[in-house]
Amino acid sequence: YEIMKEIMAKESSAFSQGVPSFEYNPADKNYPTLFELNRPLDGLKQILLDEYAGKTLAVRKIYESNSVGKRFIIKNYKDVLLHLEREGEVIACPLAQERKINTMADTVEITFPMKKS
């Protein structure tokens, strides 16, 4: 499933915030500004914060349990998790200072805060 998603992602004609469309549409290349308002990573950010509130999971487990049926690839999850970490919305272990700059290995443990009432 993951391999197929990666192959299809590479052949997509459009990417919104790095999220592949999984389709080829010549209009995407001819009129790219029409599609720039679509911000799917913002949606993924909220999905992760809601679904994993109060939990700690490895990056790979988050991807495997959340990506089926969605057009997000592992890179999208890592980008969102890096952003959430930079914003202080999640805690990653090992910490960012203990990893290579802007990296998020599959084994990094992510702790999501409890939902605010």
Side-chain angles (χ1 to χ4, degrees), residues 72-112:
F72 302 111
I73 57 177
I74 187 72
K75 180 185 181 319
N76 302 141
Y77 283 84
K78 290 180 178 187
D79 288 346
V80 166
L81 293 169
L82 281 166
H83 176 77
L84 288 170
E85 180 186 29
R86 279 192 298 273
E87 298 297 315
E89 296 185 62
V90 298
I91 298 170
C93 185
L95 300 172
Q97 330 47 315
E98 300 167 351
R99 304 187 313 261
K100 288 184 182 178
I101 294 175
N102 291 323
T103 62
M104 183 68 66
D106 290 353
T107 57
V108 172
E109 294 281 325
I110 306 294
T111 300
F112 293 86

Side-chain angles (χ1 to χ4, degrees), residues 15-35:
F15 293 81
S16 181
Q17 289 188 313
V19 179
S21 64
F22 292 121
E23 66 182 20
Y24 175 77
N25 185 343
D28 293 343
K29 292 185 185 218
N30 295 332
Y31 307 101
T33 56
L34 291 176
F35 305 98

Side-chain angles (χ1 to χ4, degrees), residues 25-78:
N25 185 343
D28 293 343
K29 292 185 185 218
N30 295 332
Y31 307 101
T33 56
L34 291 176
F35 305 98
E36 288 178 2
L37 298 176
N38 186 9
R39 308 219 14 110
L41 290 187
D42 296 341
L44 179 57
K45 173 184 168 183
Q46 197 56 54
I47 288 168
L48 296 179
L49 289 171
D50 290 343
E51 187 169 327
Y52 298 103
K55 297 178 182 174
T56 299
L57 289 105
V59 171
R60 172 55 64 174
K61 290 292 182 190
I62 294 167
Y63 170 74
E64 289 173 352
S65 67
N66 186 270
S67 67
V68 175
K70 296 180 178 79
R71 61 188 181 125
F72 302 111
I73 57 177
I74 187 72
K75 180 185 181 319
N76 302 141
Y77 283 84
K78 290 180 178 187

